[in-house]
Amino acid sequence: MTYEERVETFRKRIKEGHKVEATDWMPDEYRARLLKFIEMHANSELMGALPERDWILRAPSLHRKLAVTAKIQDEVGHAQLLYRLVEDLGKPREKIFEDLVQGRTKFHNVFHYPTHSWGDVGIIAWLVDGAAVISQGALQRSSYAPYGRTMRRICWEEAFHLKHGEDIVLTAVMGTERQKRLMQEALERWWEPLMMFHGPPTPPEKDKDLAWGIKTKPNEQLRQEFLSTYVRKIQEIGLKIPDPKLKFDSDTGRWSYTEPDWDKLYAIVTGNGPASKQRLSFRRLSLEETAWVRRAILGERAQAA
Amino acid sequence: MSPELKEAYARYLLTLADDEIVIGYRDSEWTGVAPVIEEDVAFSSLAQDEIGHARLYYTLAGQRLGKDPDHLALLRPKEGYYHARLLEDRTTPKYDPGGDHQGGGDWAKAVARRFLYDLFDDLRVEGLLSSADPELAGAAEKIRREEKYHLRHGEAWWRTLAVGSVEARERLEAALEAIWPDLLGLFEPAPGEEALVEAGLIARTTDALLDPWLERIYPYFEAHALPFPGEKAGAEWRLGVEARTGGRQGIHGPGWDELYEEMTMVRRLEPEGTW
């Protein structure tokens, strides 16, 4: 069988719903796309720890402090699971981090923004994680079986994050005017990044990750699901979504909304977001300051003193 | 319980709680920036345990003072916290939204502090198991179960830093040298501890834990020939370091100024609100 024929057979098997294991043969393009896709996901989990991490110390009660710390710990744990998949696909961890801090690889748009208040902590855990769960839910059926399995575990934990976030938001909107305002302002800050979260409405036939079955749902479908799941909940608790054009068309069964600026999204994920440089330089600093620890773990025995 | 005894007891419980919350807060900062991802997860768990212990102690203190545990944890005046000064310094880098981050993250200090504090705390908690207050004795039992894992984690890192590489060993030695005065500050007693011993609420005063602690930690230094600033002459330990005290009286340093500001910042927006 020629290489092309093997690729064709592989494509056909994926279309029929067969899953690929780490040790199976796979086309070069599939491996490369898969690696890039999962690496970006893993980077996002790791970089996603930073905006929320600022609020670990600031959480306003012992209960929230524990919940926020545990939640961020989960996210880092997810990064760990996903980096293992990337390592299995052939990229060593030091190289992954090197590429990340040099800006050669990407992480998700929502982690390129600053956080301003406790409102951001609630909105991130509820809605950013909510948007992520919609993508990740679909990824459970990825053609790459190890990724799908990891997603099942991650989604299970994310369900707790949504509850945690929803509870922070709900508690605040039932509190004083000031508390409610924290949430409303945070929603206004996060709405645009949330609408960009699932990516531009690339036609499914042009989306190669979709063709390879790495992901299973088109971007626009994910965004529509997000809106169907959350718009009503947001409005029910008395928060106002800052998009006058947002509405559900019952004839088409689809949401219409103000089209996000997709060039802006591209600029953000390529390292030009409002907090991209600060986050990357902080990640670089923390890696540099702990490099000696990794060297010590790797070995070079100290001279017996 | 006489009012004096009650006051001393509440103060002691707050001291326990403050130690645990402050190290728990400081160690939780490693979540997301630890040397290896596996350790982010591990160190964060330890920190969460400490916060959980602090909550137990604050709840006990709160019952005696008629106060809410969150109030005790987050709404006291800055000089009304009684943790040892050892625990209050940041050991991670600090993020600055403008990009002017502060470096100085020190994993060796974080590990040495946590391990030697845990060994101290283990002795202290041991003395609470037989407390005349069954609630405190019960809390101590629960806490001790968890602390066993902390000690195992600490031992592993102690060894890794002592023998992992020349560089790691140098950093561990430097960290130890810097924290010795504050380590001894752990043994500063809270006011009225003697009365608590008399009433059977605690087994030993905090300063009486120093010798057992030295006995306990010395083998870890000896095993790796790490410098130890003292020696045993007969039954007596002679130390070449002065304790830096004051923490138990509410006297703290810049590490506390920074931490207090951060940990109370959101709660202060609506101190009486539900969060």
Side-chain angles (χ1 to χ4, degrees):
Chain A
M1 222 189 326
T2 66
Y3 182 79
E4 283 71 23
E5 284 164 351
R6 286 187 92 176
V7 173
E8 240 0 89
T9 314
F10 182 90
R11 276 188 195 280
K12 201 161 152 274
R13 283 177 61 80
I14 282 181
K15 286 236 160 60
E16 289 164 358
H18 287 277
K19 303 295 178 200
V20 183
E21 290 293 341
T23 48
D24 292 347
W25 181 85
M26 56 185 92
D28 298 339
E29 190 195 335
Y30 180 79
R31 181 185 296 274
R33 286 199 161 268
L34 189 60
L35 195 145
K36 191 173 163 196
F37 193 91
I38 302 178
E39 186 177 15
M40 175 169 172
H41 188 174
N43 286 342
S44 302
E45 298 277 1
L46 187 69
M47 294 304 288
L50 296 185
E52 290 183 280
R53 181 186 164 275
D54 286 348
W55 297 87
I56 288 183
L57 292 185
R58 303 172 188 161
S61 73
L62 291 166
H63 167 68
R64 296 290 185 215
K65 157 84 181 170
L66 282 169
V68 172
T69 314
K71 188 232 184 233
I72 302 171
Q73 180 191 32
D74 282 350
E75 307 294 6
V76 180
H78 298 167
Q80 181 192 349
L81 294 172
L82 291 164
Y83 280 132
R84 284 203 192 136
L85 299 183
V86 179
E87 288 170 302
D88 287 343
L89 289 166
K91 186 164 183 177
R93 221 189 269 189
E94 286 292 306
K95 175 75 177 138
I96 296 171
F97 290 147
E98 170 72 17
D99 284 351
L100 171 64
V101 298
Q102 296 303 331
R104 288 191 289 257
T105 48
K106 291 185 198 154
F107 56 100
H108 230 295
N109 75 306
V110 283
F111 306 120
H112 291 261
Y113 290 84
T115 51
H116 297 276
S117 80
W118 181 247
D120 297 307
V121 180
I123 296 293
I124 289 174
W126 185 30
L127 298 178
V128 172
D129 282 32
V133 166
I134 286 176
S135 303
Q136 291 170 348
L139 291 169
Q140 293 178 26
R141 289 179 301 283
S142 170
S143 59
Y144 188 57
Y147 193 33
R149 285 193 291 270
T150 304
M151 280 309 113
R152 280 197 278 285
R153 173 159 166 198
I154 290 181
C155 284
W156 189 78
E157 288 187 355
E158 289 289 344
F160 292 99
H161 300 177
L162 303 190
K163 286 254 170 285
H164 151 82
E166 191 176 14
D167 193 56
I168 290 177
V169 176
L170 202 58
T171 306
V173 299
M174 295 191 314
T176 62
E177 265 311 303
R178 190 174 196 173
Q179 284 173 292
K180 185 172 176 183
R181 210 162 54 234
L182 287 181
M183 296 302 149
Q184 178 60 37
E185 287 167 359
L187 178 67
E188 285 166 19
R189 282 194 288 276
W190 287 95
W191 191 253
E192 185 189 57
L194 280 166
M195 290 304 285
M196 291 175 168
F197 184 91
H198 294 102
T202 312
E205 60 281 7
K206 286 194 178 159
D207 191 330
K208 291 201 169 138
D209 292 328
L210 207 52
W212 285 112
I214 293 170
K215 61 186 206 191
T216 60
K217 284 183 185 173
N219 296 350
E220 186 55 29
Q221 188 183 337
L222 295 168
R223 188 165 24 250
Q224 292 287 328
E225 283 180 25
F226 171 75
L227 293 168
S228 293
T229 313
Y230 288 100
V231 168
R232 194 175 45 86
K233 291 186 185 183
I234 295 168
Q235 289 168 343
E236 266 173 12
I237 64 170
L239 294 177
K240 288 192 185 62
I241 295 173
D243 180 0
K245 289 193 184 158
L246 180 72
K247 71 172 200 300
F248 186 72
D249 181 337
S250 44
D251 290 341
T252 59
R254 295 177 74 78
W255 292 90
S256 53
Y257 50 82
T258 304
E259 181 87 0
D261 177 351
W262 300 113
D263 292 336
K264 185 172 168 188
L265 173 67
Y266 182 77
I268 288 166
V269 294
T270 48
N272 298 298
S276 314
K277 293 192 171 55
Q278 295 89 320
R279 291 271 159 67
L280 280 177
S281 66
F282 188 71
R283 178 60 64 201
R284 199 177 307 128
L285 174 67
S286 71
L287 277 173
E288 281 165 8
E289 288 193 337
T290 53
W292 66 270
V293 185
R294 289 183 293 281
R295 287 194 293 271
I297 297 169
L298 287 174
E300 337 151 15
R301 287 318 224 192
Q303 302 293 324
Chain B
M1 230 187 252
S2 71
E4 294 78 26
L5 186 64
K6 205 173 152 192
E7 194 191 324
Y9 190 42
R11 171 73 174 251
Y12 184 81
L13 290 171
L14 284 180
T15 305
L16 290 172
D18 292 346
D19 272 359
E20 295 282 273
I21 203 171
V22 170
I23 190 149
Y25 265 79
R26 280 312 190 190
D27 283 353
S28 69
E29 285 184 282
W30 282 101
T31 313
V33 295
V36 287
I37 294 187
E38 287 73 8
E39 195 53 36
D40 278 286
V41 177
F43 220 61
S44 184
S45 288
L46 305 190
Q48 290 170 52
D49 283 349
E50 305 300 5
I51 303 289
H53 303 166
R55 183 158 64 170
L56 278 174
Y57 292 134
Y58 282 130
T59 304
L60 292 179
Q63 286 162 2
R64 274 140 195 96
L65 295 164
K67 289 208 166 127
D68 173 64
D70 278 328
H71 268 245
L72 293 174
L74 298 172
L75 292 169
R76 276 182 291 155
K78 194 162 98 180
E79 56 288 349
Y81 285 76
Y82 308 118
H83 57 275
R85 299 179 64 162
L86 171 73
L87 311 172
E88 68 199 25
D89 285 344
R90 179 165 49 79
T91 55
T92 60
K94 187 171 171 63
Y95 182 80
D96 174 68
D100 189 15
H101 312 307
Q102 288 175 45
D106 187 346
W107 181 249
K109 181 172 171 179
V111 163
R113 169 169 81 179
R114 141 127 258 145
F115 183 49
L116 297 171
Y117 168 76
D118 274 343
L119 288 165
F120 155 79
D121 193 45
D122 190 51
L123 290 166
R124 179 167 65 176
V125 174
E126 186 185 39
L128 308 178
L129 292 169
S130 56
S131 173
D133 176 355
E135 283 191 277
L136 180 60
E141 208 173 288
K142 180 180 178 325
I143 288 168
R144 205 133 191 263
R145 269 200 300 275
E146 290 182 358
E147 293 286 352
K148 225 170 43 197
Y149 298 99
H150 295 201
L151 292 175
R152 230 178 271 165
H153 175 269
E155 274 179 26
W157 271 107
W158 182 266
R159 193 169 50 247
T160 300
L161 297 195
V163 303
S165 71
V166 175
E167 190 185 14
R169 187 187 172 88
E170 282 170 1
R171 285 177 186 266
L172 176 62
E173 288 184 10
L176 286 168
E177 194 182 329
I179 65 175
W180 263 106
D182 283 331
L183 281 169
L184 298 179
L186 284 169
F187 298 90
E188 179 187 7
E193 284 190 8
E194 269 141 25
L196 301 178
V197 174
E198 240 166 78
L201 289 164
I202 64 175
R204 286 180 287 192
T205 55
T206 306
D207 51 354
L209 301 173
L210 177 60
D211 278 6
W213 180 75
L214 290 167
E215 295 287 346
R216 185 117 184 248
I217 66 167
Y218 184 71
Y220 291 107
F221 286 79
E222 200 187 17
H224 305 297
L226 287 163
F228 195 80
E231 56 184 6
K232 206 171 179 185
E236 290 269 300
W237 282 94
R238 288 217 191 103
L239 296 174
V241 196
E242 283 286 318
R244 191 160 72 128
T245 55
R248 309 293 188 215
Q249 313 297 325
I251 301 163
H252 300 289
W256 176 237
D257 294 341
E258 181 194 273
L259 177 57
Y260 181 80
E261 176 61 28
E262 289 238 7
M263 68 190 258
T264 57
M265 139 196 296
V266 175
R267 184 63 189 235
R268 269 183 284 135
L269 293 175
E270 285 297 351
E272 303 307 324
T274 304
W275 289 93

